[in-house]
Amino acid sequence: MSQPQNFKTIITSDHKLFDLHLKETFQYRDLIFLFVKRDFVALYKQTILGPAWAVIQPLLTTVVFTIIFGNLANLTTADIEGNLFLPSFLFYMSGNICWAYFSTTLQGTSNTFLANSATMGKVYYPRLVSPIATALSKLIAFFIQFVMFLCFWLYYILRGDTGISITPMLLLVPLCILQMIILSVGCGIIISSVTTKYRDLAMLVGFGLQLWQYGSPIAYGLQLVPDKWMSFYMLNPISPIITTFRYAMFGFGYFDLSYYIYGWGVSLALFLIGLIIFSRIERTFMDTI
Amino acid sequence: MRMEEIMLKIDNVSKKYVLGQLGGTTLRDELQRFSAKIHGREDPTKTIGTRDYNKGETFMALNGISFEVKKGERIGIIGHNGAGKSTLLKLISRVTAPTGGTICLNGRVASMLEVGTGFHGELTGRENIYMNGAILGMTKKEIDAKIEDIIEFSECRQFIDTPVKRYSSGMYVKLAFSVAAHLDSEIMIMDEVLAVGDMAFQKKCLEKMSDVSKKEGRTILYVSHNMNTIRQLCDRVIVLDHGIVAFDGNIEEGIDIYMGIQAGEALSVEYNLQTIPRLYQFGEHLLITRFRFLNKQEPVYYSEEPIIIALNLTSKINLEKVNVVITIKDSSYNKIGMTLSDDFSIYQGKNQMLTLKLILDTLSPGMYCLGISIISIYDNKEHYAYDDPGTKILFEIKDKNYPDIIWHKEYWGNVRFPNMQFVNSELLYP
């Protein structure tokens, strides 16, 4: 009685390693958009200042950094030796907005399965939708902050008493942003996959990020790092991203092609590993969460 | 034929869970356990004095089930707690993956969300409709086309632009249901969602569901413990028991089988009622100790056969005038009626056996359940119950063929009253 029939969806127990549901995720783009909207709208509901908070946070952090690390601790804000003048305020702000994006995205995506388990336990949608939406909603905040940064940047350029210049390297900025997205989402989904079984990593994320920040050139310039430690220091994939971002924005600074390519390599590798683990875990995470 | 198209094919599907502590432990525990195992020491994470008897054992929530569902069928899935109903729905809706076997789907699956899942309190009703619809796989365009219908159906128009955190739980459900009901999915999954919401809305939902199923040929999988809603909505039931399909087919038969499974010792002829814990004051003064269906291997009665039962009683006080009440319920424990015995007396310290004949020839074929109580009736016709063990005693009426008509339980229920009599019949001229 059952004539051979083509079924649209077939669910079995076996799983192909590279079955990442990317096409399906694309079909759910409306959901991604709505999640982004939800994350962003809900964040600033019942606040007086609203999205202005996106600006206030990095602004205050930058002021504090400028006072504490710049004026009190007197840490260098130069990435290379030289006498081109870079306002420390702008230096700290460039590092802060990048780090803020990286850390909030990593933290948000590392929570994907735990935070959405109620919905995900009831209904299927491509699970990748959630981390993508997180990354995009944080990106909106980043762009608001980036615009603020551009205002200060333009102000210092127009003042003309700094070493900042506009160079073709500026074209690297979008690449840096893309790399930040890939790296933070990659790390985030790896952590979120592992935390479905072991909650330890969820504990680690918060202060791990804090420690990571001290290992990255955000509160100090690269000059502070001794030359013999440099290759070790640059193993941290976020370091080349931030120094390159600064080099692109200011027209001078530290840029090493091999570290830059290494950074891309690590980011892409982590992202790919993340996707594979994530799509493997998402099938049965409800049983272990 | 279009309607013959198979929408869902479950082929030898199983799902295995590992028992004991496994998920949710910390990495440290796991490492400690691992190192202890290597060094041959006792597991340091184990609670002292416990034997991990089910550690690492597995549990088959589903154990090789197979069935097919055609387009437009409305399937009720029933079974006791832990039979695998929810696991099955989880596999079909792809929340988790099967351990073995294949599930073939021909179309989109929409699961009805539990109260408020997928809702965000800060967003308005309208925004949540879009959210919820998108979670269920609709595109923005599809929702745009249906938003008015959805709002209308939800009865929440007045509050649609208010954040849903201010909604009552009933409104939550109404909104969630409305979104799911307007989905263009070919297969709909409902897991006891109608439990909340007022009666009128429940009825509206069931009608809407059978309506879309009949008109648009949508396939519905409905899990519920409420047999009445199963009867209203479904046209086929699947009974699951311990992870296997115990029955697949006609609704009434399925419900009877499910009730039999649920009773555990299905269809026993003898019940020891002495030690069964009683509610309230029951059994304090007078105790029903034993119940039997007499002259039977199993309590199955054919056509007009009378039902003879025996009751053993023991009393701590003298009672001059008491009566036996037998209540009859259908297989889903809906009350059908009662029958009262003549008066009898029982004296302090005495054991007594009563043999009674029940005349239940108005009952249609099917599975029934009877309850016993001993009462005394006051002068004002109110009564006082001395004992009611509360045990559900199952019996079956089988192969009863009416000479004049085939009985349809779904239309007429359980009782056939004596035929009507013509008082008069005359021709009327205009």
Side-chain angles (χ1 to χ4, degrees), chain A residues 61 65 96 99 208-220:
Chain A
T61 318
F65 270 38
N96 270 329
W99 182 258
L209 275 170
Q210 229 166 12
L211 297 184
W212 195 342
Q213 183 178 2
Y214 293 121
S216 314
I218 291 151
Y220 52 86

Side-chain angles (χ1 to χ4, degrees), chain B residues 44-288:
Chain B
T45 61
K46 205 172 73 179
T47 319
I48 295 168
T50 58
R51 295 200 17 224
D52 40 1
Y53 52 88
N54 59 7
K55 176 95 214 311
E57 269 182 40
T58 56
F59 166 71
M60 298 301 285
L62 289 177
N63 204 347
I65 64 165
S66 306
F67 61 87
E68 286 181 355
V69 179
K70 296 195 187 76
K71 191 180 165 81
E73 275 192 301
R74 301 182 299 282
I75 312 255
I77 298 174
I78 53 182
H80 60 87
N81 289 333
K85 306 182 298 285
S86 297
T87 307
L88 178 63
L89 294 196
K90 273 186 182 165
L91 295 183
I92 296 172
S93 57
R94 297 171 71 190
V95 165
T96 180
T99 312
T102 319
I103 299 170
C104 301
L105 296 165
N106 214 352
R108 282 199 285 183
V109 177
S111 351
M112 210 142 293
L113 296 174
E114 248 173 28
V115 188
T117 29
F119 273 25
H120 196 290
E122 297 288 352
L123 302 183
T124 66
R126 192 187 298 275
E127 288 167 327
N128 268 308
I129 290 178
Y130 279 97
M131 272 283 299
N132 221 326
I135 288 177
L136 296 174
M138 289 165 103
T139 61
K140 190 170 175 298
K141 227 168 154 186
E142 286 174 300
I143 306 171
D144 280 335
K146 296 199 163 167
I147 184 100
E148 282 307 312
D149 291 346
I150 294 174
I151 296 174
E152 195 56 49
F153 190 86
S154 73
E155 304 168 357
C156 295
R157 183 177 292 281
Q158 200 184 341
F159 315 102
I160 204 68
D161 291 312
T162 308
V164 296
K165 63 179 174 182
R166 315 225 186 276
Y167 279 27
S168 72
S169 55
M171 283 157 69
Y172 255 95
V173 190
K174 287 181 178 184
L175 205 59
F177 183 88
S178 308
V179 179
H182 287 81
L183 217 55
D184 278 327
S185 66
E186 289 78 17
I187 302 166
M188 288 208 60
I189 293 182
M190 296 196 288
D191 190 353
E192 212 119 42
V193 272
L194 302 178
V196 200
D198 50 41
M199 290 301 278
F201 192 75
Q202 276 191 28
K203 193 161 166 274
K204 188 169 154 185
C205 291
L206 286 173
E207 276 162 11
K208 170 82 185 174
M209 285 336 314
S210 46
D211 203 46
V212 290
S213 168
K214 281 169 194 156
K215 279 192 194 142
E216 300 165 27
R218 285 215 232 153
T219 307
I220 293 173
L221 297 178
Y222 178 57
V223 165
S224 179
H225 288 290
N226 184 337
M227 296 303 137
N228 289 329
T229 56
I230 296 261
R231 283 196 183 92
Q232 275 176 52
L233 180 63
C234 304
D235 55 6
R236 175 179 152 198
V237 294
I238 289 172
V239 183
L240 291 184
D241 182 38
H242 293 98
I244 55 165
V245 176
F247 177 82
D248 180 354
N250 175 279
I251 293 184
E252 294 300 334
E253 253 177 88
I255 291 176
D256 284 351
I257 284 172
Y258 162 60
M259 289 300 169
I261 293 169
Q262 202 182 37
E265 299 168 313
L267 299 182
S268 172
V269 286
E270 186 169 341
Y271 292 81
N272 182 358
L273 304 175
Q274 189 146 21
T275 50
I276 289 183
R278 307 293 211 263
L279 290 172
Y280 317 119
Q281 80 289 6
F282 298 151
E284 242 168 58
H285 303 300
L286 184 150
L287 202 65
I288 308 172

